[in-house]
Amino acid sequence: MSEEKSIIKLENIEFYYNKGLPNELHALTDINIDIKQGEFASFFGSSGCGKSTMLYMISGIDKPESGKVFFNGYDVSQFSPKEIAVYRQMGVGLIFQNFNLIPTLSVLDNVALPMTFLGLSNSKRRERAMEILDYMGIKHLAKRLPYELSGGQQQRVGIARSLANDPPLILADEPTGNLDSANAVKTMELLRDLSKNKGKTIILVTHEAWCLKYVDKIFYVKDGMVTKSESVEPQDLSLIGESKIIEGRMQGAHANKNNFEVVTEYISTFFFRGYSNEEVKRSKEIIVKRISGAISKDDFFNELDKPFKDGGLGLWKQKAKNIVSAVEEIINESMDISTIYKSLQKYPGMPLKDEFSDVRKYLLEIYKGRTSDFILDSFDECVQERVRSIITRDNFVKALSLPKSVGGLGFSYSTALKISDRLEVLLSANLSQATI
Ligand code: ADP
Ligand code: MG
């Protein structure tokens, strides 16, 4: 199958900025990667780790100090200047974060411009450019100037332009970085469509974890090195739905007021079944006070303990104690998760064995069966993938509950569900403020 054929291969790439000068920077170290034809690959890592530099190597904008870049099996460093020019014009389409449109040219001419190279007549170029704009759903904008368009529309022109010479390979450098959520989602959907329905190979550079839902393969980049590569299970994106993705993108930026509800619901189902609506409502208010950090652990106990007429719940002391320890456990574990989450955002490839082992202990508390090292390792991987939103909640449950014979962990479905509920509570709690 052509899908198995390599389109881009980097071998032992080393690259320096300002080589030999006092401000020398070893920007890429021993890069070895292989990207297959038709693959939607991504370089994922924090700002400044060398992602764009890798694209410069691949597109021939910069040359490595040592090592080789292969395009369809051909050593790019052996290309003649003419071949390099052809490669850069015809082999690769580039998409940028800030669109890079020429402000004085119409949308149509921006898209037609790269075709100059093909030696087509002016009218032929415009005809083809119009076809591409049509495909992108922005034919009606052809006569406008870039500044007359929204960011989302400009990026669609940018994508159209990258397709001008019908290159097999498209390199997209943070294409969603300057877009609002809805347009960012559209852009990712367009890229995925190009990959799945037009057979394009796409290499996406991003530091936004939610984008990874769309790709087939992730190369984690850190300090100029690829620390890990990982194939992503194909996901049915229609099941995730646009709003969920947007939600995922928003997470972290804002306080998660609604997420307190997830925790209070969870506690309620365990401890307040059969209580009156008034009591359940009161219990939630008290729990929110604690998880938002408004009251201390001791005050939390007191509020659960004191009579209802005084604003408390009048619970038995033992029951109040149990609730306090359940909530404290969630607070502690969710802080672990949030530390893990932050570390992963900063250093996507970092091993977090110790941090995970605490979370794992908590998640598996309800599981009484036996576990092997292999199962525990696989379990940690599933949790990591879920923490990074690489897999959905449903797929997490599936991974845990499928039989070992088909690559699952072999938990019973109900255990998998319980573990998943525990994890989701931690993920949505985001309780870093509850520290008193
Ligand atoms: P990323 O795309 O992951 O944000 P880059 O590839 O742009 O990272 O940059 C990698 C490192 O190289 C960064 O430390 C950056 O400051 C540095 N760098 C990038 N371009 C240049 C340049 N032209 N001259 C010197 N240093 C550069
Ligand atoms: Mg960059």
Side-chain angles (χ1 to χ4, degrees), residues 113-136:
L113 187 68
M115 295 180 214
T116 320
F117 202 80
L118 289 172
L120 296 174
S121 70
N122 211 356
S123 65
K124 265 268 175 295
R125 289 197 323 246
R126 292 184 156 201
E127 196 179 303
R128 261 194 68 175
M130 201 53 122
E131 280 169 24
I132 300 171
L133 289 176
D134 195 16
Y135 171 70
M136 299 293 297

Side-chain angles (χ1 to χ4, degrees), residues 10 12-20 23-32 43 46-57 62-66 220-227:
L10 303 185
N12 309 323
I13 298 287
E14 305 283 336
F15 182 77
Y16 299 81
Y17 285 110
N18 308 313
K19 175 85 174 154
N23 58 346
E24 175 177 300
L25 181 86
H26 197 169
L28 295 177
T29 306
D30 196 25
I31 305 290
N32 287 284
F43 298 148
S46 51
S47 168
C49 69
K51 305 181 296 295
S52 296
T53 307
M54 286 223 273
L55 289 193
Y56 304 152
M57 299 294 120
D62 269 321
K63 274 194 181 154
E65 175 75 20
S66 63
Y220 293 91
V221 186
K222 191 197 161 193
D223 298 340
M225 287 176 262
V226 172
T227 53

Side-chain angles (χ1 to χ4, degrees), residues 247-266:
E247 223 173 75
R249 198 172 193 234
M250 294 302 190
Q251 258 175 25
H254 306 289
N256 294 297
K257 208 171 174 187
N258 288 337
N259 288 338
F260 290 160
E261 274 167 37
V262 179
V263 181
T264 54
E265 282 300 332
Y266 183 75

